[in-house]
Amino acid sequence: MKLLSIDYVPGKEIEDLGIVQGGIVQSKHIGKDFMAGMKTIVGGEIKGYTEMMEEARSIATKRMVDQAVSLGADAVINVRYASSAVMQGASEIMVYGTAVKFVGDK
């Protein structure tokens, strides 16, 4: 599945199939959350949260792609990510875009 942040697929004529999205609310266990709090004292990257966000983006993207596949899409264009804190130690990741089918392809 081709994922693009632009609103077209270079060299392809496309048909719009609709908006697709994927989302997840993810958290780390209390031990990681405690260690993250300690890290704020000295500064630097909080690797546990970086890993959490990477995993959440991956899961949300897979859910969006699965939705696009169910529509018969060849690509998703205008892909955008959004995130928000739902509560301390938990974040929501949302990904969305427009599912498209290539016109004239076999």
Side-chain angles (χ1 to χ4, degrees):
M1 176 72 54
K2 187 176 274 287
L3 303 177
L4 300 163
S5 62
I6 54 179
D7 62 357
Y8 62 96
V9 179
K12 300 284 187 182
E13 187 177 338
I14 57 175
E15 172 189 345
D16 172 14
L17 299 176
I19 294 173
V20 289
Q21 60 87 29
I24 184 171
V25 175
Q26 182 118 349
S27 69
K28 280 290 183 195
H29 62 76
I30 190 71
K32 292 263 187 182
D33 203 34
F34 175 76
M35 293 307 292
M38 297 302 289
K39 184 69 172 183
T40 62
I41 295 171
V42 296
E45 180 181 8
I46 303 171
K47 291 187 191 309
Y49 280 103
T50 299
E51 291 165 3
M52 178 188 78
M53 296 301 283
E54 287 172 356
E55 180 183 1
R57 276 191 298 274
S58 177
I59 292 167
T61 301
K62 182 182 181 328
R63 290 177 180 174
M64 179 188 69
V65 168
D66 289 347
Q67 202 175 76
V69 167
S70 75
L71 295 174
D74 296 310
V76 181
I77 60 173
N78 274 334
V79 173
R80 300 290 185 264
Y81 287 88
S83 65
S84 64
V86 175
M87 57 187 280
Q88 182 157 354
S91 291
E92 175 188 36
I93 296 289
M94 213 41 194
V95 60
Y96 57 94
T98 302
V100 297
K101 185 159 191 66
F102 299 152
V103 177
D105 277 5
K106 295 180 179 165

